[in-house]
């Protein structure tokens, strides 16, 4: 089956329908979201950049949001190939890829599998690259029992698990944090639109995948943005290592910022994205 697309969906070669949003005119910026969210998680950045002369596209990863929810294909290679399907269906050129968390891994794997022919730059925000899981080469990584706990939480009562997750995700357990019930509810709503199959399978992908070789192939300018109080994706195991591996990587650390910084620090991130796009 060849790739097909409509005004807001792409049908991939295995028949999976990927839903996307496409706003504005100008140089293209394509966004990849984190787990267990969807393309709308990028709404603050998309509105801002579309108002500043850019074409912004964000898709829902397979199994997430309004995309198809297949049993098979919930792995990083399929995620990257689905991103490629969107980029190719829209015939995008000189794209800047922006990925948050799991989406950062998706961006890296896309380049690892499909190259930089259509890409002019990349931004990794709170990304899981090069690998989250602890190991001899990654002593600052996260122990497997943490990810086993996430799996257990998803299986036992994912609705409550997602509600509880918003606290460390947005740093609402820190002194001075401005808690938002609306942000919490939006996270929960998006998370519950993800199928439990995709939510469960994706945990292995964002925790165990090694993106080292993918990062080495990212020969385009790459901005790495990470909060130094990220309680979900520790900066020492990810961003600091990624910046050393990337051929043209530049690390910007947001002091005190949590994992959900595209929401909590949206004004700063928007300004940094615009400056990077113009550089």
């Amino acid at each position: 089956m060849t790739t097909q697309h409509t005004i807001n969906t792409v049908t991939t070669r295995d028949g999976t329908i990927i839903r996307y949003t496409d706003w504005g005119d100008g140089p293209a910026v394509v966004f990849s979201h984190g787990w267990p969210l969807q393309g709308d998680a990028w709404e603050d950045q998309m509105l801002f950049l579309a108002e500043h002369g850019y074409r912004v596209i964000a898709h829902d990863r397979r199994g997430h949001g309004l995309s198809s929810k297949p049993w098979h294909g919930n792995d990083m290679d399929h995620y990257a190939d689905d991103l490629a399907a969107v980029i190719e269906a829209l015939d995008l050129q000189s794209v800047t890829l922006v990925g948050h968390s799991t989406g950062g891994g998706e961006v890296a794997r896309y380049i690892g599998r499909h190259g930089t022919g259509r890409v002019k730059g990349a931004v990794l925000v709170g990304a899981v690259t090069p690998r989250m899981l602890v190991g001899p080469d990654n002593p600052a990584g996260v122990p497997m029992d943490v990810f086993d706990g996430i799996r257990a939480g998803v299986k036992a009562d994912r609705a409550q698990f997602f509600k509880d997750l918003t606290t460390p995700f947005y740093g609402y357990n820190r002194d001075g944090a401005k808690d938002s019930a609306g942000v919490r509810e939006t996270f929960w709503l998006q998370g519950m639109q993800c199928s439990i199959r995709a939510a469960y399978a994706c945990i292995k992908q964002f925790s165990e995948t090694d993106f080292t070789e993918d990062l080495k192939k990212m020969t385009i300018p790459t901005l790495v943005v990470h909060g130094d109080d990220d309680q979900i994706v520790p900066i020492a195991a990810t961003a600091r290592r990624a910046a050393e591996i990337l051929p043209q990587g530049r690390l910007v650390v947001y002091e005190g910022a949590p994992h959900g910084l595209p929401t909590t620090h949206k004004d700063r991130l928007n300004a940094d994205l615009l400056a990077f796009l113009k550089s």
Side-chain angles (χ1 to χ4, degrees):
M1 182 177 182
T2 56
T3 302
Q4 301 173 338
H5 81 282
T6 69
I7 193 170
N8 66 348
T9 66
V10 170
T11 303
T12 68
R13 289 178 176 83
D14 70 355
T16 300
I17 297 173
I18 303 296
R19 171 262 189 189
Y20 66 89
T21 299
D22 183 356
W23 291 341
D25 298 292
V29 184
V30 178
F31 294 88
S32 291
H33 64 80
W35 177 91
L37 305 175
Q38 60 194 58
D40 289 346
W42 286 110
E43 64 183 18
D44 291 317
Q45 287 68 47
M46 293 178 70
L47 179 64
F48 175 82
L49 291 178
E51 290 177 338
H52 282 78
Y54 290 87
R55 180 183 180 185
V56 292
I57 298 118
H59 67 292
D60 295 351
R61 185 171 299 116
R62 67 168 59 209
H64 297 63
L66 300 180
S67 290
S68 294
K69 295 172 171 57
W71 180 261
H72 299 289
N74 296 287
D75 58 76
M76 197 57 65
D77 287 352
H78 275 88
Y79 301 160
D81 291 350
D82 292 346
L83 174 57
V86 173
I87 291 171
E88 291 164 13
L90 300 179
D91 194 24
L92 303 177
Q93 305 288 343
S94 297
V95 175
T96 299
L97 300 177
V98 183
H100 176 238
S101 197
T102 301
E106 181 177 284
V107 166
R109 182 53 51 91
Y110 165 84
I111 290 174
R113 287 173 68 81
H114 299 276
T116 57
R118 293 176 179 266
V119 184
K120 66 172 291 188
V123 184
L124 304 177
V125 184
V128 298
T129 50
R131 192 177 78 251
M132 281 187 70
L133 185 65
V134 70
D137 63 334
N138 193 26
V142 180
M144 180 64 82
D145 60 6
V146 172
F147 302 116
D148 288 340
I150 297 173
R151 275 183 276 267
V154 168
K155 273 194 170 180
D157 183 353
R158 73 182 181 116
Q160 188 60 49
F161 181 80
F162 289 159
K163 285 191 172 186
D164 295 341
L165 182 61
T166 58
T167 298
F169 194 97
Y170 296 107
Y172 291 155
N173 53 347
R174 300 310 200 206
D175 290 342
K178 184 181 179 182
D179 199 323
S180 168
V183 166
R184 289 182 184 269
E185 290 167 10
T186 298
F187 181 101
W188 181 86
L189 177 63
Q190 291 190 18
M192 293 307 293
Q193 286 186 298
C194 178
S195 78
I196 190 169
R197 163 63 176 171
Y200 189 86
C202 189
I203 297 164
K204 180 179 179 67
Q205 302 306 310
F206 71 63
S207 63
E208 297 181 41
T209 305
D210 189 338
F211 299 98
T212 302
E213 295 306 313
D214 303 300
L215 292 176
K216 291 177 181 177
K217 295 178 181 178
M218 293 179 68
T219 54
I220 34 81
T222 305
L223 178 65
V224 181
V225 175
H226 216 101
D228 67 2
D229 193 30
D230 191 323
Q231 300 171 66
I232 308 297
V233 179
I235 188 173
T238 55
R240 295 198 189 282
R241 293 182 65 221
E244 295 174 353
I245 298 168
L246 288 160
Q248 295 192 63
R250 178 168 66 90
L251 174 62
V252 175
V253 178
Y254 287 16
E255 280 190 36
H259 189 57
L261 68 82
T263 298
T264 62
H265 291 63
K266 63 183 179 182
D267 292 340
R268 180 175 177 184
L269 180 59
N270 289 349
D272 284 345
L273 287 174
L274 186 60
F276 179 75
L277 289 166
K278 289 182 173 182
S279 65

